[in-house]
Amino acid sequence: MQHCHSNMDKTKRVCFLLLRVLALGTTIAAAIVMGTSHEKSSFFTVQFEAKFSHTPAFTYFLIVNVIGGAYSLLVFFLPTESLLWRLVIAMDVVMTMLLTSGVSAALAIAYVGKKGNSYAGWLPICGQVEGYCHQVGGALATGFAGVIIYMLILLYSLHSAINPLLL
């Protein structure tokens, strides 16, 4: 029975490590895809450039994903027997909330870019800069995957705090 329990513990640790690796990959990928999004176009005779840094919500999205990636990387170097793992649970909550706020803000702006807002007189721009909009959409999809992964990490961390034999 002890051998079976030991194998289950190892499997759970590998799954938890895999979630952390996926969180690192998705957050960094989302930041890179957003950070490289730009396209120049013209509308009638007006030249313009669509770039992530022109939109504070997209810049915020990039920053929170870099923070999430850096945090994921730092957690790899934390010894499992350290008392700091209690802090990791709190930081998992913070990272999940931070990433959720970043993707939410960016999604709201992306929606306006795609659909416009007739009440405010804002025209949609995705017809003029389709490549940019597709790249931003890819960054947002990847960022949303990161949020889902962080939610799974958070659930696992909370479950482990309740039953410490799982970690």
Side-chain angles (χ1 to χ4, degrees), residues 19-32 61 65 69 72 99 139 141-150:
L19 282 174
R20 292 272 180 200
V21 169
L22 288 171
L24 172 65
T26 55
T27 53
I28 294 301
I32 290 170
F61 173 84
N65 275 281
S72 294
L99 291 168
T142 307
F144 188 71
V147 167
I148 299 291
I149 292 165
Y150 259 99

Side-chain angles (χ1 to χ4, degrees), residues 5 7-20 75 80 85-86 88-89 92-93 96 148-167:
H5 187 65
N7 283 339
M8 190 182 296
D9 286 345
K10 287 180 184 177
T11 302
K12 287 179 181 178
R13 283 187 184 164
V14 168
C15 288
F16 189 60
L17 182 64
L18 180 61
L19 282 174
R20 292 272 180 200
V75 169
T80 53
W85 272 101
R86 296 289 179 200
V88 168
I89 295 169
D92 285 344
V93 171
T96 303
I148 299 291
I149 292 165
Y150 259 99
M151 286 182 180
L152 292 172
I153 288 171
L154 179 59
L155 290 173
Y156 184 84
S157 295
L158 291 173
H159 190 260
S160 297
I162 294 167
N163 186 356
L165 297 175
L166 292 177
L167 191 61

Side-chain angles (χ1 to χ4, degrees), residues 106-120:
L107 276 170
I109 294 300
Y111 182 83
V112 171
K114 184 168 179 71
K115 301 286 186 178
N117 184 327
S118 60
Y119 299 106

Side-chain angles (χ1 to χ4, degrees), residues 1 6-7 9 23 26 35 37 71 84 91 95-96 100 124 138-139 148 159-160 164:
M1 183 70 178
S6 176
N7 283 339
D9 286 345
T26 55
S37 63
Y71 168 73
L84 287 175
M91 288 304 297
M95 284 301 125
T96 303
T100 301
I148 299 291
H159 190 260
S160 297

Side-chain angles (χ1 to χ4, degrees), residues 21-44:
V21 169
L22 288 171
L24 172 65
T26 55
T27 53
I28 294 301
I32 290 170
V33 173
M34 182 61 83
T36 58
S37 63
H38 59 83
E39 185 176 347
K40 291 183 181 181
S41 186
S42 60
F43 187 66
F44 295 109

